[in-house]
Amino acid sequence: MQQPALDWGESSASNELALPLGEVLLAACETLDPAWRAVLEEWRLSAAGQRLLAFVEERQARGAHVLPHRPLRALQNLAPQAVHVVILGQDPYHGEGQAEGWAFSVPAGVAVPPSLRNIDLELQRDLNLPPPGKAVGGHLGAWVEQGVMLLNTSLTVELGHPASHARQGWEALTDACMRVLAEDAAPKVFMLWGAHAQAKRPLIEAAAPRHLVLQANHPSPLSARRGPLPFIGCGHFSRARDWLGERGVTIDWRRA
């Protein structure tokens, strides 16, 4: 029987996985750069990948609302050599209609979540940028188009249950992604926000010390202003701008 085609377009009636995760990943694999395809295939056949697939598909079978409908979106249309900045978060937004496969980004028309509001506050403080207009919303596609990868350490979550798919197997895939990015010769800035993201630092530095690695607390209101590495005041955006500019790369961080 022919399987229904998956919609990889911008619009979707729901941000929930509509098919078993294994089918979604196989369909997405065909859209990926060969480097990502190899990483995904090796992970999918590994013990960690099989454990994750079994876990998520069991949760789907039990009626759990698993988000987002495009879990591999961060890898699509961004070959490793095209990535200039990696912003690494924890897991997708768990609110209704929020998760869209890019860390910290929400679809146009969805209210800006608190973490992204704090990102905007730091952009304004660090780069003296004006607040984004209401029409801009929380969609960060303009950053992605410039080579900013918005990746989470876990790529799915259940509606209303943050970190519900953490430590189930996704981390092995995102570890492999970090190695591929770090081994690529193009200079990159890695922004590791929160403890889950900072756990990747040894992988990046072991692969190649030539990149710039920046750490701060997660921009969540629970941690953005707390020690030891407050997000508000971290200066990541200006440091990335200056470091990449010295290497001939320009990123426009404006959200207006």
Side-chain angles (χ1 to χ4, degrees), residues 192-226:
L192 310 182
W193 296 347
H196 289 255
Q198 289 161 18
K200 308 286 191 191
R201 182 166 191 156
L203 298 173
I204 300 164
E205 294 182 336
R210 62 178 168 268
H211 305 297
L212 178 62
V213 181
L214 304 174
Q215 293 189 166
N217 289 356
H218 194 278
S220 162
L222 297 175
S223 58
R225 298 182 184 273
R226 294 183 178 179

Side-chain angles (χ1 to χ4, degrees), residues 16-17 55-67 157-159 161 164-165:
E16 183 180 343
L17 278 174
F55 167 76
V56 175
E57 291 186 3
E58 180 184 12
R59 295 298 300 145
Q60 289 180 282
R62 290 176 177 269
H65 300 279
V66 178
L67 315 172
V157 73
E158 291 178 24
L159 180 66
H161 298 282
S164 49
H165 291 187

Side-chain angles (χ1 to χ4, degrees), residues 43 61 65 69 71 97 107 124 128 230 239 251:
W43 170 82
H65 300 279
H69 75 294
Q124 295 161 39
N128 196 29
R239 293 173 68 183
I251 302 290

Side-chain angles (χ1 to χ4, degrees), residues 10 43 48 60 66 93 96 103 125 153-154 162 171 186 189 210 221-222 230 236 246:
E10 292 298 318
W43 170 82
Q60 289 180 282
V66 178
Y93 290 125
E96 182 70 50
R125 187 209 65 81
T153 57
S154 295
E171 290 83 357
V189 178
R210 62 178 168 268
L222 297 175
H236 283 189
E246 292 171 357

Side-chain angles (χ1 to χ4, degrees), residues 113-138:
S115 292
L116 185 50
R117 289 203 297 269
N118 280 333
I119 291 171
D120 285 332
L121 285 175
E122 178 58 16
L123 282 166
Q124 295 161 39
R125 187 209 65 81
D126 188 24
L127 299 178
N128 196 29
L129 295 179
K134 290 184 178 180
V136 175

Side-chain angles (χ1 to χ4, degrees), residues 21 25 43-44 46-59 66 90-91 153-158 161-175 196 200:
L21 178 62
L25 296 188
W43 170 82
R44 191 175 62 85
S46 70
Q50 290 294 301
R51 184 176 73 251
L52 184 281
L53 286 171
F55 167 76
V56 175
E57 291 186 3
E58 180 184 12
R59 295 298 300 145
V66 178
Q90 181 172 319
D91 59 349
T153 57
S154 295
L155 302 185
T156 54
V157 73
E158 291 178 24
H161 298 282
S164 49
H165 291 187
R167 300 182 179 88
Q168 296 292 340
W170 278 127
E171 290 83 357
L173 175 61
T174 51
D175 281 355
H196 289 255
K200 308 286 191 191

